[in-house]
Amino acid sequence: CRILAELAMMLRFVVGALFPALLLAAPPPINKLALFPDKSAWCEAKNITQIVGHSGCESKSIQNRACLGQCFSYSVPNTFPQSTESLVHCDSCMPAQSMWEIVTLDCPGNDEIPRVDKLVEKILH
């Protein structure tokens, strides 16, 4: 049990340290395109009930959010030999702010592993 607790603590540290850096590295979204000035990209966090499960354990329902939206992507034709960088872009609707939460699932009938901790991304915005 001590090894599992140490692994869980290490995983919390790694998740807490790495994920904010990955979110900061993402390029800003494009809301308008010159070809379609009347169209806008959008992204919203919608409330959902999420089922967290694991084989041999009892599932739990939690309240969370899912990102839903419509984003722009484009690819401009290249020339050869290439005189400029390729103009390819693809946005995605993704969390602007989230946190990680541990959800503990009970595993009845399993004396070796009576509980399983699952990391769940909780979307805030």
Side-chain angles (χ1 to χ4, degrees):
C1 287
R2 181 172 163 80
I3 292 173
L4 289 176
E6 289 176 9
L7 285 173
M9 188 182 325
M10 189 184 320
L11 186 59
R12 286 183 198 139
F13 174 77
V14 169
V15 167
L18 289 181
F19 278 104
L22 290 174
L23 290 177
L24 291 175
I30 293 175
N31 293 326
K32 295 276 185 191
L33 288 179
L35 291 173
F36 300 103
D38 58 326
K39 306 256 188 235
S40 308
W42 58 275
C43 180
E44 296 177 7
K46 296 291 189 181
N47 293 331
I48 62 166
T49 299
Q50 183 176 0
I51 308 298
V52 180
H54 189 83
S55 180
C57 302
E58 295 174 347
S59 298
K60 277 191 182 174
S61 296
I62 62 167
Q63 294 306 303
N64 204 345
R65 292 184 172 158
C67 293
L68 175 69
Q70 179 175 317
C71 308
F72 290 117
S73 65
Y74 59 83
S75 175
V76 176
N78 288 322
T79 61
F80 187 81
Q82 196 166 355
S83 57
T84 61
E85 204 173 304
S86 294
L87 296 174
V88 176
H89 179 82
C90 187
D91 270 338
S92 63
C93 181
M94 56 193 296
Q97 185 179 13
S98 64
M99 60 182 254
W100 290 87
E101 186 176 288
I102 294 175
V103 175
T104 302
L105 304 177
D106 294 321
C107 309
N110 190 341
D111 295 334
E112 215 172 286
I113 305 172
R115 287 179 301 283
V116 169
D117 287 341
K118 299 284 269 197
L119 275 175
V120 178
E121 182 181 19
K122 298 282 292 218
I123 296 174
L124 304 175
H125 299 291

